[in-house]
């Protein structure tokens, strides 16, 4: 794939030939599809050379291959602005060994979850894209969140000139800390709405607003245009490829593996964005054997990889890993599209079937093309037990999402005997889910005050309380809006004063 002619197209066939900056600005294609590059580029720098690079240098080497209409200067400006002292470590994404696995800590950014890895750069990619494409309208970011995206997106976009951001989250479906982080968000251009429904309702509602051409006209009259910060935006996906390449290079650098050796990667999965980025890294030539897709009790992906049938018709379970409580994993559409051999018509038919019947089945040929994925899941009890086991054995305390991944990894090793060195994506700080984490480590916490639990977690883990948590201890609540699932569009109109 030559860089010069890389372009972006919809997975449903309605649009093609977009530049990267156009795809980032639009977020979601008008036909409801997701933008995909016309081919996956190959890493151009030898892995041994990457081992000597900083996170920022690695980011440039990876992202320039996808964002081909950004100049070197523009891209380096975006990277420099994103990966700075907002992160509490110069490594940006440190690797931590515990009990034989390598935990890639993706939670050192401003909202202490992995969403910061992409959402700290997206506002720069987007405002640069707006300039490049002579956009005069104000850009309105609409985002549905299962808890982490919303806060990370607001942290990134707060008071960025030329942008507004509106976040919808499921009332009662996020952790106390997640909710506090969102409702205390500062910035004149931010708005937060709690919806009476679950995350899938929020996501479906946002997609509906995007597809409403009448509403788009009304917005345009007031000089607004919508974009998305959800993981369907290609500007989210590309920055996530970086840390898998970086993790591999670190393992080479510290002598755990030799250049060319294979690794496995385990990812706690919800919307399928993070693990898809790992798959992109593999397609680009990173020596990855298997991608372990870890689910919680909402194990629609586990069932899919076992049977080839995607079936969302099931009870939605609220778990202690709420950012993975999802039954429609949007980014899976990109894998489906790739596994049809990039046949947009075939992909569209499956997605229409999902919308109509709640399920679809893929062909054996498609399944064979997904053989790089291994699905596993952890129940609530197994997750708790894993967090406690690792803490007792090593003193390392992981959050409830990473717990799911860690549990699935150890199940995989027990089942297969495969001891390939494994990177586990550690997607949140345990402080973000302190109630559930301390319940696992020290027993039921009842309705104890969240900040008393946090102080105890600090003692138990020996890890300093992150700035992101201290900030909300006494912060005033700024956002109190709520709405029903079918009035989300009205809420947007009201917030924007249409
Ligand atoms: C969003 C999130 C996930 C799921 O990531 P996807 O890219 O949606 O699969 C897992 N863990 C945490 C902590 C998250 O915030």
């Amino acid at each position: 794939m030559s860089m010069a002619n890389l372009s972006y197209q919809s997975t449903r066939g309605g649009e093609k030939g977009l530049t990267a900056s156009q795809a980032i600005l639009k977020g979601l294609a008008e036909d409801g599809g997701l933008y995909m590059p016309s081919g996956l580029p190959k890493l151009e720098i030898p892995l041994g050379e990457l081992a000597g690079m900083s996170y920022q240098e690695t980011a440039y080497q990876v992202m320039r291959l996808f964002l081909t209409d950004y100049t070197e200067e523009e891209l380096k400006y975006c990277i420099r602005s994103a990966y700075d002292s907002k992160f509490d470590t110069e490594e940006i994404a440190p690797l931590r060994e515990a009990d034989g696995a390598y935990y890639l800590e993706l939670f050192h950014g401003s909202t202490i979850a992995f969403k910061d890895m992409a959402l700290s750069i997206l506002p720069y990619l987007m405002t640069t894209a707006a300039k490049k494409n002579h956009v005069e309208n104000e850009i309105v970011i609409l985002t549905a969140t299962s808890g982490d995206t919303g806060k990370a997106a607001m942290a990134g976009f707060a008071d960025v000139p030329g942008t507004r951001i509106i976040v919808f989250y499921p009332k009662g479906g996020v952790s106390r800390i997640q909710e506090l982080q969102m409702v205390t968000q500062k910035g004149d251009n931010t708005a937060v709405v709690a919806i009476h429904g679950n995350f899938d309702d929020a996501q479906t509602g946002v997609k509906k607003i995007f597809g409403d051409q009448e509403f788009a006209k009304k917005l345009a009259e007031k000089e607004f245009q919508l974009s998305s910060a959800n993981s369907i935006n290609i500007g989210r996906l590309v920055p996530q490829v970086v840390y898998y390449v970086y993790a591999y290079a670190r393992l080479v650098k510290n002598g755990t593996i030799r250049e060319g050796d294979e690794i496995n990667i385990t990812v706690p999965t919800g919307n399928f964005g993070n693990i898809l980025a790992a798959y992109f890294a593999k397609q680009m030539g990173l020596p990855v054997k298997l991608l372990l897709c870890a689910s919680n009790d909402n194990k629609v992906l586990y069932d899919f990889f076992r049977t080839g049938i995607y079936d969302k018709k099931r009870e939605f379970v609220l778990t202690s890993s709420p950012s993975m409580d999802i039954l429609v994993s949007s980014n899976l559409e990109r894998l489906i599209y790739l596994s049809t051999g990039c046949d947009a018509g075939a992909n569209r038919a499956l997605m229409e079937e999902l919308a109509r019947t709640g399920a679809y089945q893929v062909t054996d040929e498609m399944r064979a093309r997904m053989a790089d994925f291994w699905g596993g899941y952890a129940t609530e009890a197994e997750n708790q037990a894993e967090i406690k086991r690792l803490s007792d054995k090593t003193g390392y305390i992981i959050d409830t999402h990473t717990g799911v991944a860690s549990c699935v990894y150890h199940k995989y090793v027990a089942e297969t005997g495969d001891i390939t060195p494994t990177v586990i994506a550690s997607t949140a700080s345990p402080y973000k889910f302190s109630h559930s984490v301390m319940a696992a480590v020290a027993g039921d916490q009842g309705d104890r005050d969240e900040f008393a639990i946090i102080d105890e977690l600090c003692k138990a883990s020996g890890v300093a309380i992150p700035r992101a948590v201290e900030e909300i201890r006494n912060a005033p609540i700024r956002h109190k809006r709520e709405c029903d699932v079918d009035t989300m569009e009205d809420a947007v109109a009201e917030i924007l004063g249409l």
Side-chain angles (χ1 to χ4, degrees), residues 31-46:
D31 60 3
L34 312 187
Y35 292 117
M36 275 291 280
S38 46
L40 287 172
K42 295 286 174 208
L43 286 170
E44 287 174 358
I45 299 223

Side-chain angles (χ1 to χ4, degrees), residues 113-115 146 148-149 231 240 268-275 323-324 326 399 401 427-428 433:
F114 98 95
K115 305 290 195 292
S146 56
D148 290 334
T149 296
S231 64
Q240 293 179 177
T269 297
N271 226 356
F272 210 75
N274 201 4
I275 196 166
S323 302
M324 299 159 66
I326 292 173
D399 97 290
H401 303 76
T427 50
F433 301 93

Side-chain angles (χ1 to χ4, degrees), residues 263-342:
I263 62 167
N264 287 335
I265 297 175
T266 308
V267 185
T269 297
N271 226 356
F272 210 75
N274 201 4
I275 196 166
L276 188 73
Y279 181 67
F280 276 21
K282 177 178 164 76
Q283 298 298 308
M284 294 172 78
L286 196 72
V288 177
K289 188 161 96 182
L290 272 188
L291 301 149
L292 311 188
C293 174
S295 299
N296 64 21
D297 282 312
N298 295 292
K299 58 186 181 59
V300 61
L301 289 165
Y302 165 82
D303 292 337
F304 173 66
F305 286 120
R306 293 282 149 130
T307 64
I309 298 170
Y310 193 93
D311 186 354
K312 69 159 191 174
K313 301 187 304 287
R314 60 181 75 204
E315 198 189 334
F316 183 95
V317 187
L318 288 177
T319 73
S320 61
S321 44
S323 302
M324 299 159 66
D325 290 345
I326 292 173
L327 294 180
V328 182
S329 297
S330 295
N331 270 295
L332 185 66
E333 177 167 347
R334 289 191 163 110
L335 180 66
I336 298 291
Y337 171 77
L338 286 174
S339 68
T340 59
C342 302

Side-chain angles (χ1 to χ4, degrees), residues 221-239:
E221 279 163 20
K222 300 276 178 165
E223 299 184 351
F224 290 119
Q225 71 186 61
L226 297 179
S227 190
S228 166
N230 273 90
S231 64
I232 48 180
N233 193 314
I234 196 78
R236 283 275 303 275
L237 206 49
V238 169

